[in-house]
Amino acid sequence: MNKILFFFFLCIQLFINAQLSERNLSSEKWQFKNAKETKWMSATVPGTVHLDLMKNNVISDPYKDENEKKVQWIENEDWDYQTKFTLSSTELQNENIDLVFLGLDTFSEIYLNGKLLKKTDNIFRKWEIPVKQYVKTGENLLQIKFKSSINVGKELAQKVSFTVPESPRSFVRKAQYQFGWDWGPRLVTAGIWKDVKLEYWNQAKLENIKIEQKKLTSTRADLNIYPEIFVDEEGKYKVAVNGKSQEFILRKGLNTLSIPYQIDNPKLWQPNGWGKQNLYDVKISLQKNSKIIDEKSEQIGLRTVELIQEKDAKGKSFYFKVNGKPMYAKGTNWIPGDSFSSRMTRENYQKLIKDCKEANMNMIRVWGGGIYEDDEFYKACDVNGILVWQDFMFAGSFYPADENFQKNVELEVKDQVERIQNHASLALWCGNNEVDEAIVNWGYQKQFKYSKEDSLQVWKDYNKIFHEVIPNAIKKYAVNDKNIYWPSSPSIGWGHKESLTEGDSHYWGVWWGEQPFEIYNEKVPRFASEYGFQGMPTLETTKSMFSGKPDLNLQNGTIKAHEKHSRGWEIIDNYMKRDYVIPADFVKYNYVSQLLQARGMQIAIEAHRRAKPYNMGTLYWQLNDCWPVVSWSSIDYLGNWKALHYQIKRSFENQIILPEEKDEVLNFYVINDELKTFENVSLDFYILKLNGEKKGSGGTAEIKTLESNGILNFDSFSLEEIIGDEDRNELFLHLMLRDEKDNIITESNYFFSKPKDLKLPKPNIQIRKISATEIEVSTDVLAKDVYLIGDTHFSDNFFDLLPGTSKRIKLSKPLEKIEIMSLWDTMNP
């Protein structure tokens, strides 16, 4: 009986093993150690050496206190990782077994059972190694030996005759932000940062699927499906697309097929704000002798994206046409969500991209100093209607162009293009972030005393990588409708007048140039792909900087260590004194720093949107943080919305009223970014004192049509007409755009003075509990910049509450106590 049971269970196990197509090695028991030492410690894969050292209590959390300084030794060490795994005789019966690393950081040697299989040199590449001849039944030993990226980078730098800025990071195909940025710590990691697996296959396997959209009309979508199939056993195979199969004779080696596919009455994928994000599943299966031997699924959206650059009287346009219509791009710049990228979860990605959608965004730029993001990032963008401007991972330095570097870059582009290109959200490939700018404007050649030959070599290398290697690789590995390439962002540096008349612009006259916020009204580019201003993180995130009891003091070493810009505090103070009363209290200072950041970006965005269609895009710097820090982000490291993100949501509304005060005249612009026309609209306003007293009303006598995707100019009024003899520091306008049925389409407030000059009365702000997760906030007089404080997400915050009105706010979770503050509290200690 025991023999029968044993045979029965053996048969079940053989059946299960026969169905296996891959084996995840990440979940095996991993160990690591310093290469100079003998003691092994437990490790987690995916992960990094810093996280493993933290888990083994060798180092303290570098995000807390001033611990970052204490862990810099890690980057100079070599690190060894290993695991043992057991293979059954059944698994070994597979004709092919591939060892696949989805990400290794960065210079490593891979050993299997003592045999050196591969040396790696690029964090962004996928490494696939046939290992059938090296594995055995029973226990196998897998070892990965990592070399210090710093030490290898220095060796590579010595091969160049001149000093390269930011050396050695420029020589290392590794996430550049790990070397430190003006918003991020220096944490140069090593480790197995993505999954490791064994792939079993027989006869043939699907390597890759490319899906090209050939033609798209209202009645039909014509696609070409390009399955790439690696064949070990040539012969007749069937390839099915969503169940419809065709027969092919496949030769040994790599075969690329072209299969036409049609979708009738297609439903378009639309960007956020324009409609639904309709997606289609495409399932490809490979069959041999009526058995499925491999299959893959892709999810696509049917849409068209074009980058339009046409000469005009003022320069050259720069905008995206989506589904045949010009789209005003409203969005942000994305940096990695954690300095240890393996900690980013599906939920992290979904939340941050949903936060973009909720803030009325339709585009996000993946910045070139970080990483090519996880598949979950692009899936979230697909689902939420966020188009992706995808930089390649080069930022703010000079890069070599020797043959090894060129080949490495080409294969990097191949891996990433093939992985990302089927996503509906992909809009643009961009060669780099600010490399052209660094060469032209940052004075490195003078600083490092380059010869004429050195400078020529820098340009030669630049052109080779960004005007030859990368675009040629995109043409080679991408389908035609996903081959939109822009060599460098920005195309022209912000100190040159042409940066405002053509291409995309990184305008840093505010912050770096210390120009007042109002300069944004003059420096309006065709497409603003980067600009920004710093603000403190929320109080909750500020407290998380400390391992013990938080000492909330601007002079505290921990607080200072979490501001990575060398003059950050000084610049914030200089701007704050222009527009606000600088509070002495830390909590109030934190609050005002957020208001300051939000005010600056509001001025910039409104200037950009008023200039539509001259300006057709505004992507502020930046959405998120990689650790708790004072930075340009609108959402801090713990996922909390700063004042800026609440303001972004208001400033990016599809319909918005944008007053402009110029030469003692108030001009009114109304923007409509939606694909909807509003007939017979009118603009009205009330003139109110800050205490609620009504001083008059006005508006336009004109009844106009607000066209789909259009802009309107209404009658102008002189300030004398509106204010008269009144004190402008005591007045504001409440503006309303109404439709033909007198419904309010959108409304906003306009203040005639800077916040510090407003003669604010003391508001009596009341909070009434509606339910466990809903409150009502009311006031008797104007409550400026109402700040609700508590460990929950408020549906609105940092808002103006009009005299004698109330506002309902939803909470993400119940809160026993809610503290409240307004701008009046910072001006009246």
Side-chain angles (χ1 to χ4, degrees):
M1 185 65 177
N2 287 340
K3 288 182 179 180
I4 294 172
L5 282 172
F6 175 80
F7 180 74
F8 175 75
F9 286 118
L10 180 61
C11 289
I12 291 175
Q13 188 61 47
L14 289 173
F15 175 79
I16 292 170
N17 287 341
Q19 306 306 305
L20 289 177
S21 60
E22 66 178 42
R23 165 97 169 265
N24 185 3
L25 296 183
S26 303
S27 56
E28 301 289 338
K29 290 183 178 180
W30 286 86
Q31 296 177 304
F32 84 109
K33 68 177 181 67
N34 189 316
K36 294 187 296 190
E37 299 174 358
T38 57
K39 181 185 176 183
W40 290 93
M41 296 174 282
S42 64
T44 301
V45 173
T48 72
V49 66
H50 287 77
L51 293 178
D52 289 329
L53 289 167
M54 285 168 58
K55 287 175 185 174
N56 286 276
N57 298 316
V58 177
I59 63 170
S60 298
D61 188 344
Y63 288 10
K64 295 188 180 294
D65 305 323
E66 298 180 60
N67 293 338
E68 178 201 354
K69 302 172 187 176
K70 302 175 183 177
V71 300
Q72 294 308 305
W73 59 273
I74 297 170
E75 68 181 38
N76 298 309
E77 302 296 319
D78 298 338
W79 299 95
D80 295 343
Y81 279 73
Q82 71 175 31
T83 190
K84 294 176 182 177
F85 62 93
T86 302
L87 289 183
S88 67
S89 57
T90 304
E91 287 171 294
L92 280 172
Q93 287 174 12
N94 287 283
E95 295 169 8
N96 298 280
I97 302 176
D98 293 340
L99 177 60
V100 180
F101 293 89
L102 298 181
L104 292 171
D105 182 8
T106 290
F107 296 97
S108 79
E109 295 177 347
I110 302 167
Y111 293 84
L112 183 57
N113 294 326
K115 172 71 175 178
L116 175 62
L117 301 182
K118 192 87 175 176
K119 293 184 178 182
T120 76
D121 57 358
N122 192 323
I123 191 177
F124 305 121
R125 284 176 58 188
K126 174 182 175 182
W127 305 96
E128 197 167 354
I129 311 163
V131 294
K132 174 68 185 283
Q133 61 181 313
Y134 305 118
V135 290
K136 59 186 179 181
T137 303
E139 189 175 83
N140 293 265
L141 176 64
L142 176 61
Q143 298 169 295
I144 300 95
K145 298 179 179 293
F146 291 96
K147 297 291 184 182
S148 161
S149 292
I150 295 297
N151 294 337
V152 176
K154 288 177 180 177
E155 291 171 8
L156 293 170
Q158 288 173 359
K159 297 178 181 179
V160 177
S161 60
F162 51 87
T163 302
V164 174
E166 302 292 340
S167 185
R169 76 167 169 85
S170 307
F171 295 90
V172 180
R173 292 312 300 139
K174 179 179 178 64
Q176 303 285 274
Y177 80 112
Q178 291 185 5
F179 295 82
W181 227 265
D182 54 8
W183 39 258
R186 183 181 176 99
L187 295 168
V188 185
T189 64
I192 307 167
W193 75 293
K194 289 192 173 186
D195 276 323
V196 187
K197 56 187 178 179
L198 287 174
E199 289 185 348
Y200 310 122
W201 60 281
N202 301 286
Q203 300 172 313
K205 66 173 178 175
L206 284 166
E207 286 275 8
N208 183 50
I209 307 294
K210 299 179 183 180
I211 302 176
E212 180 183 21
Q213 184 180 284
K214 297 288 289 183
K215 189 177 181 182
L216 180 62
T217 68
S218 59
T219 58
R220 198 169 92 176
D222 290 327
L223 310 177
N224 265 357
I225 314 292
Y226 300 105
E228 295 180 349
I229 304 169
F230 194 88
V231 174
D232 200 36
E233 181 183 309
E234 64 181 42
K236 290 182 180 179
Y237 291 81
K238 283 186 178 180
V239 179
V241 179
N242 284 348
K244 187 177 180 180
S245 64
Q246 296 182 44
E247 192 169 81
F248 297 90
I249 295 176
L250 302 182
R251 295 183 178 87
K252 194 166 185 177
L254 187 65
N255 297 255
T256 301
L257 307 181
S258 178
I259 303 174
Y261 186 73
Q262 179 180 311
I263 298 175
D264 293 326
N265 303 312
K267 295 180 179 180
L268 293 182
W269 182 94
Q270 295 281 18
N272 182 35
W274 276 16
K276 293 183 178 179
Q277 290 74 53
N278 297 296
L279 295 167
Y280 290 85
D281 292 317
V282 179
K283 186 175 181 179
I284 314 294
S285 63
L286 176 64
Q287 302 173 29
K288 175 76 168 172
N289 298 327
S290 300
K291 292 182 179 179
I292 295 176
I293 58 175
D294 201 1
E295 57 186 4
K296 288 183 181 292
S297 291
E298 296 287 338
Q299 194 170 61
I300 64 168
L302 303 175
R303 86 295 181 277
T304 60
V305 177
E306 304 165 78
L307 175 60
I308 306 299
Q309 296 186 80
E310 296 173 338
K311 289 186 177 180
D312 55 30
K314 296 180 178 179
K316 187 189 287 186
S317 67
F318 189 104
Y319 68 92
F320 292 90
K321 186 182 282 187
V322 181
N323 296 328
K325 296 179 174 65
M327 185 195 79
Y328 191 92
K330 295 178 293 192
T332 187
N333 286 258
W334 170 280
I335 67 166
D338 203 302
S339 283
F340 307 126
S341 296
S342 58
R343 290 206 289 205
M344 285 292 287
T345 65
R346 180 170 177 264
E347 291 70 29
N348 293 148
Y349 284 114
Q350 288 180 332
K351 181 193 179 300
L352 281 166
I353 299 303
K354 188 178 178 183
D355 287 343
C356 291
K357 180 176 185 176
E358 193 174 333
N360 302 302
M361 299 185 201
N362 57 25
M363 180 170 277
I364 194 165
R365 173 177 172 246
V366 179
W367 170 74
I371 61 173
Y372 305 96
E373 283 299 338
D374 189 85
D375 292 342
E376 294 299 334
F377 169 86
Y378 302 99
K379 289 177 184 176
C381 290
D382 291 345
V383 169
N384 289 285
I386 309 297
L387 286 163
V388 175
W389 169 313
Q390 178 67 57
D391 280 5
F392 288 97
M393 294 300 120
F394 302 85
S397 186
F398 305 169
Y399 289 88
D402 56 83
E403 286 188 19
N404 287 338
F405 196 84
Q406 289 181 47
K407 188 62 178 176
N408 204 354
V409 169
E410 180 188 341
L411 293 173
E412 172 185 323
V413 173
K414 174 184 185 294
D415 283 354
Q416 300 304 329
V417 165
E418 290 183 345
R419 181 174 69 92
I420 296 168
Q421 69 172 334
N422 289 335
H423 286 279
S425 52
L426 180 67
L428 177 77
W429 303 106
C430 180
N432 66 75
N433 170 77
E434 296 183 351
V435 175
D436 185 302
E437 169 96 333
I439 296 172
V440 174
N441 289 333
W442 292 357
Y444 284 132
Q445 293 92 326
K446 185 177 180 180
Q447 178 184 342
F448 295 119
K449 298 178 181 177
Y450 280 17
S451 66
K452 183 179 179 180
E453 289 74 20
D454 294 340
S455 295
L456 288 172
Q457 186 63 48
V458 168
W459 269 116
K460 183 180 177 182
D461 291 345
Y462 173 83
N463 286 317
K464 174 61 71 174
I465 297 298
F466 301 108
H467 288 272
E468 291 184 38
V469 173
I470 292 178
N472 290 343
I474 295 171
K475 288 177 185 176
K476 185 175 179 180
Y477 300 113
V479 294
N480 288 333
D481 64 303
K482 296 295 178 69
N483 187 6
I484 304 175
Y485 178 68
W486 185 238
S488 184
S489 181
S491 49
I492 303 169
W494 63 267
H496 302 268
K497 63 180 182 179
E498 293 83 5
S499 69
L500 302 177
T501 61
E502 60 183 273
D504 71 314
S505 172
H506 293 191
Y507 180 70
W508 286 104
V510 170
W511 184 266
W512 282 99
E514 297 188 54
Q515 294 291 312
F517 290 144
E518 289 72 21
I519 197 72
Y520 282 128
N521 293 316
E522 301 172 28
K523 305 292 187 180
V524 177
R526 306 309 292 260
F527 193 103
S529 52
E530 218 187 271
Y531 60 92
F533 193 86
Q534 281 196 353
M536 293 188 75
T538 60
L539 289 171
E540 181 189 2
T541 300
T542 303
K543 291 173 183 176
S544 78
M545 299 173 182
F546 295 83
S547 58
K549 184 178 179 181
D551 176 15
L552 299 182
N553 184 325
L554 288 174
Q555 302 309 314
N556 180 276
T558 293
I559 299 290
K560 287 184 174 182
H562 287 75
E563 162 62 273
K564 302 302 288 186
H565 190 281
S566 60
R567 294 185 54 243
W569 293 114
E570 179 187 347
I571 294 172
I572 291 171
D573 273 2
N574 288 342
Y575 275 88
M576 194 179 289
K577 71 176 67 167
R578 297 174 186 174
D579 289 358
Y580 291 89
V581 174
I582 300 181
D585 175 76
F586 182 90
V587 173
K588 291 178 181 177
Y589 186 94
N590 176 283
Y591 161 59
V592 173
S593 84
Q594 292 189 54
L595 294 181
L596 178 70
Q597 180 189 28
R599 173 175 165 78
M601 296 303 92
Q602 179 184 5
I603 291 171
I605 291 167
E606 292 186 356
H608 298 159
R609 295 191 71 186
R610 281 197 304 266
K612 180 182 178 178
Y614 176 84
N615 171 280
M616 282 298 288
T618 180
L619 311 178
Y620 70 92
W621 182 268
Q622 66 208 58
L623 175 72
N624 56 325
D625 284 325
C626 65
W627 75 317
V629 66
V630 181
S631 83
W632 292 264
S633 71
S634 62
I635 299 176
D636 67 26
Y637 175 67
L638 294 184
N640 301 307
W641 288 25
K642 294 159 67 170
L644 173 56
H645 206 77
Y646 287 101
Q647 181 56 51
I648 290 295
K649 182 178 180 180
R650 293 187 279 267
S651 292
F652 279 172
E653 288 282 359
N654 265 346
Q655 292 82 38
I656 191 168
I657 306 165
L658 299 177
E660 178 190 37
E661 189 177 323
K662 201 171 186 179
D663 300 325
E664 296 296 305
V665 172
L666 202 57
N667 304 303
F668 297 103
Y669 298 80
V670 175
I671 313 297
N672 178 24
D673 288 337
E674 201 172 350
L675 300 181
K676 175 183 178 181
T677 297
F678 295 86
E679 304 284 354
N680 303 322
V681 300
S682 59
L683 183 66
D684 301 320
F685 58 79
Y686 294 118
I687 307 165
L688 300 169
K689 291 192 73 171
L690 302 179
N691 63 10
E693 181 183 344
K694 190 173 179 181
K695 301 301 294 182
S697 62
T700 174
E702 299 174 281
I703 304 296
K704 295 190 174 187
T705 297
L706 180 57
E707 297 287 352
S708 162
N709 207 14
I711 180 170
L712 275 180
N713 294 87
F714 279 98
D715 290 337
S716 300
F717 291 81
S718 69
L719 290 187
E720 186 177 354
E721 288 179 85
I722 297 173
I723 297 175
D725 297 330
E726 297 288 337
D727 184 349
R728 65 184 292 154
N729 297 328
E730 293 184 345
L731 293 181
F732 72 101
L733 290 186
H734 181 63
L735 301 121
M736 295 155 288
L737 183 72
R738 300 181 186 273
D739 65 15
E740 55 190 343
K741 295 181 180 178
D742 212 34
N743 297 315
I744 295 175
I745 299 169
T746 186
E747 55 190 327
S748 64
N749 302 317
Y750 180 78
F751 295 88
F752 300 96
S753 304
K754 291 186 173 185
K756 70 176 182 180
D757 297 323
L758 293 174
K759 295 180 179 178
L760 294 169
K762 182 179 182 179
N764 179 21
I765 304 173
Q766 299 292 321
I767 295 179
R768 183 170 70 92
K769 185 177 180 181
I770 305 295
S771 70
T773 56
E774 187 173 10
I775 59 173
E776 183 180 73
V777 186
S778 61
T779 183
D780 54 346
V781 298
L782 177 77
K784 187 89 177 75
D785 300 316
V786 174
Y787 177 29
L788 303 171
I789 308 172
D791 183 17
T792 189
H793 175 72
F794 297 99
S795 60
D796 200 4
N797 210 345
F798 303 94
F799 54 85
D800 295 338
L801 195 56
L802 297 184
T805 66
S806 63
K807 185 180 183 74
R808 289 198 172 191
I809 304 292
K810 292 185 177 179
L811 286 62
S812 62
K813 63 181 180 182
L815 204 61
E816 282 299 315
K817 182 182 179 184
I818 299 173
E819 295 183 60
I820 197 161
M821 188 184 297
S822 73
L823 189 62
W824 183 90
D825 295 292
T826 70
M827 301 164 77
N828 298 273

